[in-house]
């Protein structure tokens, strides 16, 4: 007999129904929303702090590589290195990474460590109980042997 191959549509449906695909989709949506928050913090807080020294817009920081560097936008002449844009993107990344680490990764690591410690403590208690039960059973056996031994000399019940 030949095996029935699953159709492409069935395979796609199985792929979509896996839990990790849904988790990934949720993570992407949350990540996009979170990126907007971080970008707002950089534009609304970090850029003005940098602006206290120079200009509010990090994108305006640049260096002229080949001059003359005049004009802006489409009418710009010369070759510019836009290091302010790179600095802004770097700040956004560092802030995003810090928030993700301190608000998500670190608390989850601590939670998982506590759960693992509880599991190990529970296993240790279970082992102690098993040893204690075994010792109690041995004592009962020895008491029964001793009791039978005193009443019926000559029998070895071990």
């Amino acid at each position: 007999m030949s095996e029935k191959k699953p159709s492409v549509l069935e395979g796609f449906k199985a792929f979509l129904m896996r839990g990790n695909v849904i988790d990934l989709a949720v993570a992407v949506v949350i990540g996009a929303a979170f990126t907007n928050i971080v970008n707002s913090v950089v534009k609304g807080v970090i850029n003005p702090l940098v602006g206290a020294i120079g200009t509010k817009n990090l994108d305006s920081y640049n260096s002229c590589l080949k001059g003359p560097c005049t004009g802006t936008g489409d009418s710009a002449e010369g070759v510019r290195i836009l290091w302010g844009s790179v600095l802004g993107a770097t700040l956004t990344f560092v802030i995003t990474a810090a928030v993700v680490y301190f608000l998500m990764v670190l608390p989850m690591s601590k939670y998982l460590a506590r759960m693992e410690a509880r599991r190990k403590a529970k296993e240790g208690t279970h082992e102690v109980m098993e040893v204690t039960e075994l010792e109690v059973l041995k004592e009962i056996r020895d008491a029964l042997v001793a009791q039978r031994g005193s009443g019926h000399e000559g029998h070895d019940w071990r």
Side-chain angles (χ1 to χ4, degrees):
M1 287 187 148
S2 65
E3 292 183 23
K4 180 183 175 188
K5 289 186 177 181
S7 72
V8 174
L9 189 57
E10 289 174 353
F12 183 67
K13 181 181 174 186
F15 171 74
L16 288 179
M17 298 313 265
R18 277 197 244 158
N20 55 359
V21 173
I22 303 299
D23 293 341
L24 182 60
V26 169
V28 168
V29 170
I30 296 293
F34 184 70
T35 300
N36 287 335
I37 292 171
V38 171
N39 287 338
S40 296
V41 168
V42 169
K43 287 178 184 172
V45 177
I46 304 297
N47 287 357
L49 289 175
V50 172
I53 299 167
T55 177
K56 280 186 176 182
N57 187 1
L58 288 178
D59 292 339
S60 64
Y61 289 107
N62 63 66
S63 297
C64 187
L65 187 62
K66 183 177 180 184
C69 292
T70 58
T72 58
D74 292 337
S75 64
E77 295 177 10
V79 179
R80 292 188 171 130
I81 296 177
L82 305 173
W83 59 269
S85 303
V86 175
L87 179 62
T90 303
L91 286 172
T92 300
F93 172 77
V94 169
I95 291 169
T96 302
V99 169
V100 166
Y101 179 75
F102 289 112
L103 293 182
M104 295 175 192
V105 174
L106 193 61
M108 185 56 108
S109 296
K110 287 182 179 181
Y111 172 75
L112 292 175
R114 276 196 312 257
M115 295 305 289
E116 183 66 18
R118 285 182 187 165
R119 186 187 63 79
K120 284 184 179 180
K122 215 180 250 187
E123 283 179 0
T125 304
H126 186 63
E127 288 175 11
V128 169
M129 284 192 317
E130 284 181 6
V131 170
T132 305
E133 285 180 21
L134 186 58
E135 289 174 1
V136 168
L137 290 172
K138 284 180 182 178
E139 288 176 11
I140 292 171
R141 180 201 64 202
D142 292 343
L144 288 172
V145 167
Q147 184 183 27
R148 288 184 181 151
S150 64
H152 301 5
E153 297 292 329
H155 285 54
D156 187 14
W157 294 91
R158 287 188 191 194

